[in-house]
Amino acid sequence: MVKQESESANRPDNTAFTQQRLPAWQPILSAGIVIPGFVLIGLAFIGIGVALLVTSRSIQVLELDYTGDGNGSPCSSCSQSTTVNCKCSLNFTLDTLFQGPVFFYYGLSNYFQNYRRYGASKDDNQLYGDLSYFTSPSSSCSPYDYDGSKNPIVPCGSIANSMFNDTFTLTRTVSGKTDSVPLDGKGIAWWTDYNVKYRNPSVTPLKNAFNGTVKPIDWAKPAYELDTSDASNNGFVNQDFLVWMRRAALPNFRKLYRRIDASGDYQNGLPAGNYTIDITYNYPVRVFNGAKKVVFSNVSWMGGKNEFLGIAYLVIGSLCVVMSVVMLIVYAKFKFPDEE
Amino acid sequence: MTCCILTTCVGEENWVDSRTIYIGHKEPPPGTEAFIQQRFPDNRIVSSKYTFWNFIPKNMFEQFRRVANFYFLIIFLVQLIIDTPTSPVTSGLPLFFVITVTAIKQGYEDWLRHKADNAVNQCPVHVVHHGKVVRKQSRKLRVGDVVLVKEDEAFPCDLILLSSSRDDGTCFVTTASLDGESSHKTYYAVQETKAYNAEKEVDTIHATIECEQPQPDLYKFVGRINIYMTNEPVARPLGSENLLLRGATLKNTEYIYAVAIYTGMETKMALNYQSKSQKRSAVEKSMNAYLVVYLCILISKALINTALKYVWQSDPNKDEPFYNQKTEAERQRHLIRAFTDFLAFMVLFNYIIPVSMYVTVEMQKFLGSYFIMWDDEMFDEELGERAVVNTSDLNEELGQVEYVFTDKTGTLTENNMEFIECCVDGHVYVPHAICNGQVMPGAAGMDMIDSSPGPAAREHEELFFRALCLCHTVQVKEEDTVDGIKHGIHQGKSTSFYISSSPDEVALVEGMKRLGFTYLRLKDGRMEILNREDEVEKFDLLEVLTFDSVRRRMSVIVRASTGEVYLFCKGADSSIFPRVISGKVDQVRARVEQNAVEGLRTLCVAYRSLNPEQYEEVFQQLNRAKLALQDRDKQLAEAYDLIEKDLILLGATAVEDRLQEKAADTIESLHKAGIKVWVLTGDKMETAAATCYASKLFHRNTQILELTTKRTEEQSLHDVLFELSRTVLRQHGGMTRDTFSELSGDCTDYGLIIDGATLSAVMRPGQEGSNSGNYKEKFLEICRNCSAVLCCRMAPLQKAQIVKLIKASEEHPITLAIGDGANDVSMILEAHVGIGIMGKEGRQAVRNSDYAIPKFKHLKKMLLVHGHYYYIRISELVQYFFYKNVCFIFPQFLYQFFCGFSQQPLYDTAYLTLYNISFTSLPILLYSLMEQHINMDILKKDPCLYRDIAKNSLLRWPTFIYWTILGVYDAIVMFFGAYFLFDNTTFTSNGQMFGNWTFGTLVFTVLVFTVTFKLALDTHYWTWINHFIIWGSLIFFVVFSLLWGGIIWPFLNYQRMYYVFMQMLSSGPAWLSIILLITASLLPDVVKKVIWRTLWPTTTERIQTDDHTSCKYFASCQSRTCR
């Protein structure tokens, strides 16, 4: 009896798991499943691709370079001088209505906001409005943490320091009458950036919070004077500042500058007419062979104009179909003789 | 003064290696020798590796000795020191995770060992102290203490038996826990001390023991005891028959007194637990090779980027544009900057070396090995044993076996002996009971086949029966308390058993009983037998010349009651016939050969009668040899050689050893699986060949090539070898030509038989310079073309030699050795995989093996199912690990070209850290535990499938390159897909732009889904656990990302991921592009799979397809030919 018990004690558990016999679905990637699957996926992709391409084609984009490289270009004089707030203007004509909502971007190229050291050069705590970091900025901001006389810089770091400082105004000339196009600067930055991630110190007036600090070296005015007209757009929560602070992924990038305020004449976008962009030219890009441009674009449900996605869908979709045909041929030719 | 004389005459050469033990710590009488108290360790057993204090440093040290861990430590340190692109956490945390998991596993194992050690070290022992028995903790026992051990107690250390409760000074011991032999062995006390069997008396023993320093060999011991009696010191030899080993248990003896000689870690048991040399599997070798390749890729990536960075920086506007000025300190460091840049790139790309691969592989092996232990089909009802895994490192090697070397007795056969017949001077006797499964009629004690012999023959006949009754080491066990499976014989009312370490002997003694001569017992040095007339005959047992596998015989010297002294010798025919001077040699030889052809085990019996002078001489020779301290075995062997000569042949016996259940089926399956099976046995050629035919190793149409002494006597070895190789090669060449015309492949296959003597001639190193190497190669060439090889008459070491020879041959095949006895241990240790059978010849094979199975038939499932699965699983695991890390890191490499080689990481720190340890770790671990690409039953039914994975086929370079290219392709699709998508556009309908972290997150999301889906595509066996883990880990990734970006994390000095993931998901094109990129990444792999499956299907794939579509009937699957 004792022996019997010891035997059964040593006997392995006879469960489906221990015997590796759990019930299982055993799919096989056989031609029979894959070929119809590919056809279906291919057709679906082609469908999506066509839809995307059509949508993308319907999006209007107007892109104007104002770097001032060539002598004939309107901003060439500004690009060569080092004058502060150099003025120049660009003219363009719309023959038809530029369907709204219209977004007004500025674009930089060959500009590396994705340099590692550049990207690290900011102090999130400072930008969260933590006053203790005003007087002692994070060392990651170096060399933009203290100025020559050891005063702390607020906001510190190279991202903030290099904030884009060209400004634009858009005017429309209708039958000799110049009409300024209303631009809306609200909501151009991420909601979370504006409301959560960046905060002004809760000191009124805001100017007092910056006592003992200096403005970034390349800035014309301190942070608390970025938009003196609107307290909710001033300091660290200034929308232009927030847009700049979100680093672009690639060296050629656009950043949202304004939206065309959909009111009055501009209810449906930019009506046909002659337009002028008055530029306050400050930002130097020619030293590093960069370029600057302004872009008007409207969007669809899928965002801005992007032919790539539609084409890629079409390519992959047709590849799927082609592959399924190839597989079918291979299958038919080589499979059936084998069955004999 | 005898002592001194003896001291000078034996083994003085090597005093350094001996120790002196003072029994009861008493000084020897002055004048005899100097009293030097030597220092010995206490009796504490330490099997644990660590203590509480040294665990962390020691364990860390051991873990960082592994190259991979050390590499990550270096990366971590570099990250701490230089200004690196990624936070030290990214490599520190995975490393910490890996180290912790391993440390916890090892710590737990060590804790178990500590517990076991404590239990052993603290158990009480009884020590005689000043004439009183005192209880002590086991660990406090010292060398020289006299110990009292009671029945059924285990010995606390290695002891020399002084006296026992039995008058004859013997005791019975079972060494089941040491070597698994449950038979009772008899140990002897020295004649002079055996009378001191009370605590007071024992205390008066005044003696010293000199013996060798501890050695791991369990069965060897030499020593000498010097007893200072009244005045004359007496010296007596001590051998392994006096030595009680720690771990053994006292049986059937009320108590014993013994003196401790080896304690603690010096006991033979402890010395035997020292770790064996580590075996490494072929998969691990490929893994290391891949690792080196990836290390090269890593370094070249870093070098390329460093160089390009310098090209880039040659333009000062790019190096230091106005918006990204450097600090003064950075401008200064020009020289070391190149180096730190290189290191920074190394750090950035270091994730290409999969940090968690080793820990995953380790866990896979450790957990996976449970499936072997749990396997109910490998459980043996009869033995009550299941498969045992001693090393889980070799699981996948079971799927790679090309050569199986198997022992015959006990492995192919049951080792369950049955006496069939005996033959005395050519007259054959068959016991009436059971013969070939049929009850033979006949009331008499025996059936005479030949005519009744004359009186002289009758005398011979009786002598033969007596010889068999006396010449053995069988013990009689009277009660029914023996554990294990033993032969019970009913003798009147009381039940008694014959117990022996050799089943042949039991069979013989039982056979004799059926023929009328019953061995009763050994009492007071007298063997009692009951003869046919029911009279008790008594013989004084004078000497036992024990069996060893070199001599292949054993003898006893007995004195009959009439005073005549006989030497009875029994052994293998080859070791008896040369020593025989008279007897009917030819008749006996003919019968032996006939029996051998039938597959029976034969033994020859001979005797020699000794007159008193001769006996005296023999006694002297033996005693001299026995007293030798050094080389006692050699001297004994020489003495035996002198004594066992001039024999008179009596007859021969035949014992049948039945084939194990399903042995033939197993061998056939192994053959079909493309595995070459070699039988290595110590048995005779004829017997072994018969077994081979029975077990279908040789078929009827197998052409047998013989390479035996018989043939090499006729021709020179050289000629034979060349002739055989010509035969084999002709056929081989013909076969390749015929493959087109004759698809049936019905060519003859070859079987080779070689014997030990010829083998050693073949292997003999360079007597003719280059020629000997030639022999070896010729031999290998012949073997390569033979489907089966039988090596008979092999010594244990020769078995290992053969394995080594095959292992070292050109193709470096994976070898497996399987055996059950101590003589197989050498080959089990030598082969890539060693398998022990839990047989009757003790547990040594099991202890030294990597895996142990109850029966030979379980080998089939072990290799064809478990081995196959483990190989498939681990090869996918290894390839997948490299693949997923290429996918992971290559986009980061590409990103450098778009960020001015500034080492900007593409992914967030959390993603870098958790990719390998949580997002993608569990699905592959689970896959590598659960995957079954084909049903278990099909694998067993169709052994051909094993060929599909032979030669490490899933881990060859082309496969590896395919996976790597696939990884690079996927990385390019992901990166450039995201790149073009981000190119100057917005993806949201509110016109806002995304930043670089969204870019990285998009790539990362595609990455995690792609690699997980890739694994899902490769999974053929979806249990609910697979579904749970695969979908669960994707859901975990999404939930983690939502959470990680969902709150402002305190104590974190950057909040760059805040809402990035949610913003991404809120945009339609992001969803569309995720779907697109995943599809595009997986597309080529699927197409490749389908086309390959159709164009060049492996057998596995055919069966998968068949199984899936129609073929639920196995008949057609089975008839598939192996090509």
Side-chain angles (χ1 to χ4, degrees):
Chain A
M1 283 311 284
V2 179
K3 204 172 142 195
Q4 283 289 315
E5 271 167 35
S6 76
E7 257 182 38
S8 50
N10 196 22
R11 188 177 193 116
D13 290 342
N14 192 2
T15 63
F17 175 70
T18 55
Q19 301 309 316
Q20 305 192 61
R21 289 188 189 279
L22 279 178
W25 172 52
Q26 298 178 36
I28 297 287
L29 272 184
S30 63
I33 295 166
V34 172
I35 293 171
F38 265 44
V39 173
L40 282 181
I41 292 174
L43 292 179
F45 271 35
I46 289 171
I48 297 171
V50 169
L52 283 174
L53 209 56
V54 168
T55 321
S56 181
R57 287 271 154 87
S58 72
I59 292 170
Q60 289 165 283
V61 177
L62 178 70
E63 201 172 292
L64 302 161
D65 190 298
Y66 73 98
T67 320
D69 271 336
N71 274 331
S73 59
C75 290
S76 59
S77 60
C78 279
S79 71
Q80 273 141 28
S81 76
T82 51
T83 334
V84 178
N85 292 339
C86 175
K87 304 274 185 202
C88 60
S89 48
L90 284 175
N91 297 318
F92 65 95
T93 310
L94 291 179
D95 298 330
T96 53
L97 171 76
F98 200 109
Q99 189 67 44
V102 182
F103 295 91
F104 182 2
Y105 296 91
Y106 62 90
L108 291 174
S109 51
N110 208 18
Y111 189 103
F112 289 84
Q113 261 205 319
N114 56 12
Y115 274 138
R116 177 169 66 87
R117 296 248 322 105
Y118 179 85
S121 185
K122 63 173 182 171
D123 186 340
D124 275 342
N125 290 313
Q126 206 181 53
L127 297 169
Y128 194 58
D130 191 334
L131 281 174
S132 56
Y133 292 88
F134 275 47
T135 43
S136 55
S138 154
S139 61
S140 63
C141 287
S142 175
Y144 300 100
D145 47 354
Y146 295 96
D147 73 350
S149 41
K150 296 289 164 205
N151 294 313
I153 298 173
V154 176
C156 75
S158 40
I159 313 185
N161 181 65
S162 61
M163 184 179 159
F164 189 72
N165 55 2
D166 287 0
T167 53
F168 312 94
T169 50
L170 182 63
T171 50
R172 174 171 167 239
T173 317
V174 197
S175 53
K177 196 177 123 228
T178 322
D179 178 19
S180 152
V181 179
L183 298 176
D184 178 14
K186 284 207 172 59
I188 55 173
W190 286 25
W191 187 91
T192 48
D193 286 353
Y194 181 73
N195 289 290
V196 185
K197 220 173 133 180
Y198 293 80
R199 271 184 200 173
N200 281 324
S202 45
V203 176
T204 41
L206 186 59
K207 184 176 187 297
N208 290 353
F210 290 80
N211 286 341
T213 67
V214 294
K215 67 180 172 61
I217 298 156
D218 290 343
W219 282 21
K221 47 192 177 185
Y224 50 86
E225 285 172 14
L226 281 174
D227 187 353
T228 43
S229 62
D230 182 2
S232 67
N233 191 31
N234 202 8
F236 299 154
V237 294
N238 177 275
Q239 297 262 350
D240 290 322
F241 178 67
L242 294 180
V243 166
W244 183 256
M245 290 304 282
R246 184 155 289 279
R247 294 199 288 147
L250 298 166
N252 300 330
F253 58 88
R254 276 182 207 167
K255 282 183 185 285
L256 188 55
Y257 183 68
R258 292 289 182 268
R259 279 185 280 125
I260 309 294
D261 200 353
S263 58
D265 290 342
Y266 307 99
Q267 198 85 48
N268 299 319
L270 291 175
N274 291 324
Y275 290 85
T276 307
I277 309 168
D278 292 310
I279 301 162
T280 319
Y281 195 111
N282 282 318
Y283 211 70
V285 291
R286 295 195 64 213
V287 279
F288 50 87
N289 296 322
K292 301 197 280 193
K293 56 197 168 198
V294 286
V295 183
F296 293 94
S297 169
N298 52 15
V299 298
S300 67
W301 58 271
M302 55 154 281
K305 192 179 184 72
N306 188 355
E307 305 238 313
F308 167 74
L309 202 57
I311 291 170
Y313 260 100
L314 281 179
V315 168
I316 298 293
S318 20
L319 262 180
C320 279
V321 174
V322 169
M323 279 305 158
S324 63
V325 172
V326 169
M327 282 188 284
L328 193 67
I329 292 168
V330 168
Y331 185 74
K333 203 161 183 184
F334 295 91
K335 188 70 187 176
F336 297 122
D338 198 53
E339 309 249 298
E340 285 166 17
Chain B
M1 283 301 104
T2 335
C3 153
C4 297
I5 295 159
L6 281 168
T7 319
T8 44
C9 47
V10 283
E12 205 176 347
E13 320 72 272
N14 253 334
W15 274 120
V16 192
D17 284 327
S18 69
R19 56 164 61 179
T20 309
I21 295 125
Y22 306 96
I23 297 176
H25 311 289
K26 283 194 276 285
E27 291 178 36
T32 46
E33 58 197 277
F35 174 70
I36 309 154
Q37 187 70 54
Q38 285 161 284
R39 291 182 65 85
F40 302 113
D42 64 6
N43 196 32
R44 190 193 301 267
I45 280 278
V46 185
S47 62
S48 54
K49 258 158 94 185
Y50 312 107
T51 64
F52 184 75
W53 302 110
N54 75 8
F55 176 72
I56 289 177
K58 196 172 171 189
N59 186 263
M60 290 299 110
F61 174 73
E62 288 194 352
Q63 290 206 43
F64 285 120
R65 279 203 317 197
R66 300 180 106 184
V67 181
N69 287 346
F70 187 69
Y71 163 81
F72 286 104
L73 181 69
I74 295 292
I75 292 287
F76 177 65
L77 293 178
V78 165
Q79 281 182 317
L80 285 180
I81 294 162
I82 66 164
D83 166 42
T84 60
T86 55
S87 132
V89 175
T90 55
S91 63
L93 194 67
L95 183 66
F96 178 75
F97 171 77
V98 166
I99 297 282
T100 315
V101 167
T102 317
I104 287 173
K105 185 189 150 212
Q106 291 177 348
Y108 174 70
E109 285 170 358
D110 208 53
W111 179 70
L112 290 182
R113 283 192 288 259
H114 267 287
K115 244 174 58 172
D117 285 355
N118 278 344
V120 170
N121 287 335
Q122 286 172 2
C123 80
V125 292
H126 302 278
V127 176
V128 178
H129 193 69
H130 296 306
K132 282 201 181 104
V133 174
V134 189
R135 275 167 73 103
K136 255 189 183 183
Q137 281 194 346
S138 167
R139 65 192 162 98
K140 290 183 180 152
L141 203 64
R142 282 163 54 213
V143 168
D145 281 346
V146 177
V147 184
L148 166 71
V149 182
K150 292 178 184 160
E151 186 167 0
D152 291 331
E153 279 181 359
F155 301 119
C157 59
D158 290 354
L159 304 162
I160 290 289
L161 181 60
L162 291 175
S163 60
S164 83
S165 59
R166 298 164 79 103
D167 293 338
D168 57 358
T170 58
C171 70
F172 296 105
V173 164
T174 167
T175 51
S177 59
L178 273 178
D179 57 11
E181 292 178 33
S182 52
S183 61
H184 293 192
K185 299 195 184 82
T186 315
Y187 286 80
Y188 304 90
V190 180
Q191 292 298 314
E192 278 71 16
T193 61
K194 72 178 185 190
Y196 298 86
N197 58 0
E199 57 202 64
K200 287 257 155 36
E201 294 167 8
V202 156
D203 208 40
T204 63
I205 294 181
H206 205 175
T208 60
I209 290 171
E210 288 164 75
C211 60
E212 58 187 355
Q213 290 293 355
Q215 280 183 19
D217 192 327
L218 289 179
Y219 306 103
K220 270 194 189 135
F221 172 74
V222 278
R224 185 180 56 219
I225 182 164
N226 300 320
I227 304 153
Y228 310 102
M229 305 290 276
T230 45
N231 42 21
E232 275 289 282
V234 187
R236 292 288 168 208
L238 296 174
S240 52
E241 72 276 7
N242 308 108
L243 180 69
L244 307 167
L245 297 175
R246 174 174 195 148
T249 314
L250 186 66
K251 290 282 180 190
N252 283 17
T253 313
E254 202 180 320
Y255 61 87
I256 57 151
Y257 289 101
V259 60
I261 59 161
Y262 302 137
T263 48
M265 296 312 287
E266 289 186 343
T267 57
K268 284 181 184 272
M269 183 183 81
L271 290 173
N272 263 288
Y273 279 142
Q274 271 152 17
S275 55
K276 294 171 280 180
S277 68
Q278 280 250 304
K279 292 181 182 175
R280 297 240 161 260
S281 77
V283 169
E284 215 166 322
K285 283 175 202 149
S286 325
M287 213 158 89
N288 289 336
Y290 295 168
L291 213 63
V292 170
V293 171
Y294 270 59
L295 211 63
C296 294
I297 293 177
L298 168 67
I299 290 172
S300 50
K301 269 184 179 175
L303 281 175
I304 289 170
N305 270 341
T306 314
L308 286 174
K309 185 178 164 107
Y310 277 81
V311 173
W312 175 267
Q313 285 177 345
S314 58
D315 179 356
N317 279 323
K318 283 177 174 166
D319 182 30
E320 201 179 347
F322 74 90
Y323 54 87
N324 187 26
Q325 308 253 309
K326 292 175 186 167
T327 59
E328 275 310 308
E330 279 172 334
R331 287 195 195 118
Q332 301 302 316
R333 290 181 302 190
H334 264 296
L335 274 175
I336 55 164
R337 231 178 63 188
F339 184 62
T340 52
D341 273 333
F342 172 73
L343 286 182
F345 279 117
M346 287 283 282
V347 165
L348 190 64
F349 303 140
N350 84 79
Y351 311 93
I352 199 172
I353 307 287
V355 59
S356 52
M357 184 171 72
Y358 278 94
V359 76
T360 312
V361 165
E362 209 162 275
M363 274 160 73
Q364 188 263 348
K365 288 181 170 180
F366 175 71
L367 298 174
S369 62
Y370 276 97
F371 283 120
I372 293 181
M373 288 189 254
W374 281 335
D375 195 332
D376 198 44
E377 284 175 44
M378 296 210 289
F379 173 77
D380 191 76
E381 305 258 355
E382 192 189 325
L383 293 171
E385 296 274 10
R386 53 162 121 175
V388 171
V389 178
N390 291 333
T391 28
S392 55
D393 287 344
L394 298 169
N395 292 346
E396 69 276 2
E397 203 82 334
L398 293 171
Q400 290 294 303
V401 174
E402 290 165 71
Y403 282 85
V404 167
F405 297 94
T406 164
D407 177 40
K408 188 179 77 75
T409 313
T411 308
L412 285 180
T413 62
E414 292 237 3
N415 206 8
N416 188 359
M417 305 298 170
E418 196 166 342
F419 181 80
I420 297 297
E421 63 160 49
C422 59
C423 143
V424 183
D425 290 348
H427 307 292
V428 179
Y429 300 77
V430 181
H432 73 281
I434 295 167
C435 183
N436 292 334
Q438 288 176 316
V439 178
M440 301 277 281
M446 68 184 86
D447 278 344
M448 294 293 207
I449 290 177
D450 284 282
S451 57
S452 124
R458 189 163 181 83
E459 192 191 317
H460 249 180
E461 176 200 309
E462 299 225 321
L463 203 55
F464 175 82
F465 292 146
R466 289 201 180 95
L468 281 178
C469 279
L470 297 171
C471 181
H472 55 74
T473 52
V474 170
Q475 294 156 25
V476 181
K477 178 91 174 121
E478 308 262 336
E479 304 131 274
D480 198 358
T481 54
V482 196
D483 28 39
I485 308 98
K486 294 290 163 199
H487 301 262
I489 43 167
H490 297 278
Q491 185 190 32
K493 280 168 195 160
S494 71
T495 312
S496 66
F497 293 94
Y498 289 133
I499 303 165
S500 169
S501 50
S502 151
D504 291 69
E505 290 198 325
V506 175
L508 285 177
V509 177
E510 276 173 13
M512 282 309 105
K513 189 174 175 185
R514 295 215 296 269
L515 287 173
F517 282 80
T518 312
Y519 170 61
L520 291 177
R521 58 184 162 169
L522 173 69
K523 200 183 172 200
D524 305 334
R526 285 186 158 195
M527 297 177 101
E528 296 175 8
I529 58 176
L530 194 70
N531 67 11
R532 265 184 244 165
E533 283 78 39
D534 277 350
E535 294 160 356
V536 174
E537 297 177 20
K538 291 189 179 177
F539 293 86
D540 289 332
L541 181 61
L542 301 172
E543 299 287 346
V544 178
L545 284 62
T546 48
F547 178 85
D548 66 62
S549 52
V550 181
R551 270 163 58 235
R552 304 174 57 81
R553 60 178 178 267
M554 73 157 290
S555 308
V556 289
I557 301 175
V558 292
R559 185 188 287 125
S561 43
T562 52
E564 292 157 87
V565 177
Y566 292 104
L567 175 137
F568 290 117
C569 182
K570 98 180 168 211
D573 53 353
S574 62
S575 59
I576 297 283
F577 285 136
R579 295 173 176 273
V580 166
I581 47 166
S582 72
K584 297 185 174 171
V585 179
D586 293 333
Q587 287 101 313
V588 174
R589 193 195 292 269
R591 190 71 201 165
V592 163
E593 278 174 10
Q594 191 194 328
N595 282 338
V597 168
E598 284 170 22
L600 302 176
R601 293 162 71 87
T602 56
L603 283 176
C604 291
V605 182
Y607 82 103
R608 174 189 176 194
S609 62
L610 301 165
N611 56 35
E613 295 82 47
Q614 280 172 323
Y615 173 65
E616 191 54 35
E617 193 191 327
V618 162
F619 180 74
Q620 290 301 336
Q621 281 168 347
L622 281 176
N623 225 24
R624 237 190 337 269
K626 277 188 191 167
L627 275 179
L629 259 187
Q630 305 291 329
D631 290 335
R632 181 189 285 178
D633 295 313
K634 207 177 131 202
Q635 296 197 26
L636 270 178
E638 282 165 10
Y640 290 166
D641 198 46
L642 285 175
I643 295 162
E644 293 165 331
K645 62 176 183 191
D646 305 336
L647 303 173
I648 300 160
L649 188 67
L650 284 169
T653 59
V655 168
E656 189 186 21
D657 187 4
R658 246 173 295 140
L659 268 190
Q660 275 201 7
E661 189 193 348
K662 288 187 184 165
D665 169 58
T666 307
I667 287 200
E668 241 184 337
S669 305
L670 295 184
H671 264 301
K672 274 194 201 150
I675 301 173
K676 293 192 171 160
V677 182
W678 290 35
V679 174
L680 311 182
T681 175
D683 232 334
K684 265 182 304 299
M685 186 187 126
E686 291 79 9
T687 318
T691 313
C692 287
Y693 275 110
S695 59
K696 300 210 176 145
L697 187 70
F698 295 154
H699 295 275
R700 212 164 292 151
N701 56 356
T702 306
Q703 194 181 332
I704 302 292
L705 309 172
E706 276 183 33
L707 196 59
T708 53
T709 353
K710 219 190 278 171
R711 269 197 82 171
T712 46
E713 273 164 11
E714 294 158 14
Q715 286 167 286
S716 78
L717 176 65
H718 185 88
D719 293 343
V720 177
L721 270 175
F722 275 76
E723 197 191 307
L724 289 183
S725 78
R726 254 200 313 281
T727 325
V728 171
L729 285 183
R730 195 188 316 127
Q731 178 62 42
H732 193 69
M735 212 168 71
T736 44
R737 235 180 295 123
D738 286 348
T739 35
F740 300 103
S741 57
E742 205 181 349
L743 269 168
S744 57
D746 196 34
C747 52
T748 44
D749 51 8
Y750 288 96
L752 178 75
I753 300 180
I754 183 169
D755 63 4
T758 321
L759 183 76
S760 56
V762 170
M763 307 273 279
R764 196 171 298 138
Q767 89 239 73
E768 281 161 75
S770 59
N771 239 3
S772 69
N774 219 357
Y775 282 173
K776 260 191 208 175
E777 268 159 40
K778 274 276 173 251
F779 173 64
L780 278 176
E781 194 177 81
I782 297 168
C783 292
R784 224 172 281 149
N785 293 308
C786 288
S787 58
V789 178
L790 164 65
C791 306
C792 44
R793 293 279 185 231
M794 301 291 271
L797 262 179
Q798 275 186 313
K799 292 185 176 183
Q801 266 182 340
I802 287 255
V803 175
K804 204 172 190 168
L805 181 74
I806 297 297
K807 250 171 89 178
S809 70
E810 286 171 64
E811 304 96 340
H812 297 287
I814 308 294
T815 55
L816 177 143
I818 178 164
D820 71 324
N823 58 345
D824 305 314
V825 169
S826 60
M827 78 171 174
I828 284 175
L829 290 178
E830 180 66 45
H832 290 101
V833 187
I835 295 196
I837 300 265
M838 299 160 178
K840 293 193 178 145
E841 293 184 18
R843 286 255 160 167
Q844 265 164 312
V846 172
R847 274 200 297 136
N848 287 293
S849 63
D850 304 309
Y851 300 90
I853 47 179
K855 287 277 165 68
F856 184 73
K857 65 174 177 184
H858 297 133
L859 188 65
K860 182 175 168 185
K861 187 162 189 199
M862 194 87 168
L863 297 187
L864 299 185
V865 179
H866 288 293
H868 199 139
Y869 279 161
Y870 284 122
Y871 180 71
I872 294 273
R873 290 167 184 173
I874 203 151
S875 52
E876 173 88 7
L877 170 72
V878 171
Q879 301 280 25
Y880 179 77
F881 251 98
F882 284 105
Y883 159 81
K884 80 179 167 98
N885 282 287
V886 170
C887 288
F888 180 42
I889 233 57
F890 206 73
Q892 189 137 288
F893 171 72
L894 292 173
Y895 192 51
Q896 296 312 304
F897 290 83
F898 301 93
C899 71
F901 305 98
S902 61
Q903 301 130 13
Q904 169 66 38
L906 183 58
Y907 315 115
D908 178 54
T909 306
Y911 288 157
L912 283 173
T913 313
L914 295 177
Y915 177 72
N916 266 323
I917 61 178
S918 69
F919 298 144
T920 60
S921 62
L922 276 186
I924 182 62
L925 178 64
L926 192 82
Y927 174 96
S928 65
L929 289 173
M930 308 281 287
E931 171 67 354
Q932 294 179 27
H933 59 298
I934 290 189
N935 253 334
M936 215 181 279
D937 304 312
I938 302 180
L939 277 182
K940 255 195 295 182
K941 288 223 164 76
D942 206 341
C944 308
L945 293 171
Y946 196 77
R947 293 172 187 231
D948 265 12
I949 55 162
K951 297 262 172 211
N952 209 359
S953 66
L954 300 182
L955 288 174
R956 295 223 191 106
W957 288 107
T959 328
F960 171 69
I961 290 166
Y962 171 74
W963 277 88
T964 305
I965 288 175
L966 192 69
V968 170
Y969 163 81
D970 286 357
I972 288 173
V973 166
M974 289 174 217
F975 180 79
F976 284 104
Y979 176 83
F980 287 116
L981 205 70
F982 265 70
D983 192 23
N984 269 329
T985 188
T986 174
F987 317 165
T988 51
S989 46
N990 63 8
Q992 290 173 358
M993 298 300 291
F994 287 157
N996 68 321
W997 295 117
T998 314
F999 181 72
T1001 305
L1002 180 73
V1003 175
F1004 192 78
T1005 310
V1006 176
L1007 168 74
V1008 169
F1009 276 84
T1010 303
V1011 296
T1012 310
F1013 285 150
K1014 162 75 182 142
L1015 188 69
L1017 282 176
D1018 286 352
T1019 305
H1020 294 108
Y1021 195 75
W1022 285 85
T1023 62
W1024 65 268
I1025 310 178
N1026 292 76
H1027 284 288
F1028 179 74
I1029 296 285
I1030 286 190
W1031 311 128
S1033 86
L1034 289 178
I1035 290 168
F1036 172 75
F1037 164 70
V1038 173
V1039 169
F1040 173 84
S1041 296
L1042 290 174
L1043 203 69
W1044 182 239
I1047 34 177
I1048 294 274
W1049 288 89
F1051 315 114
L1052 211 62
N1053 60 0
Y1054 58 84
Q1055 303 294 346
R1056 57 199 182 196
M1057 293 306 289
Y1058 187 63
Y1059 256 71
V1060 164
F1061 193 69
M1062 277 81 125
Q1063 283 280 2
M1064 187 184 81
L1065 291 190
S1066 68
S1067 115
W1071 282 87
L1072 284 175
S1073 56
I1074 288 171
I1075 293 167
L1076 173 81
L1077 296 180
I1078 293 171
T1079 316
S1081 301
L1082 296 173
L1083 191 69
D1085 190 46
V1086 175
V1087 172
K1088 182 247 165 192
K1089 272 189 184 161
V1090 172
I1091 290 185
W1092 254 247
R1093 178 181 280 278
T1094 325
L1095 286 186
W1096 304 283
T1098 57
T1099 325
T1100 314
E1101 284 166 347
R1102 272 181 218 191
I1103 290 196
Q1104 281 176 339
T1105 320
D1106 287 358
D1107 185 42
H1108 212 248
T1109 51
S1110 58
C1111 172
K1112 288 287 176 197
Y1113 45 96
F1114 286 128
S1116 79
C1117 298
Q1118 255 182 312
S1119 63
R1120 197 183 314 275
T1121 49
C1122 290
R1123 251 170 277 158

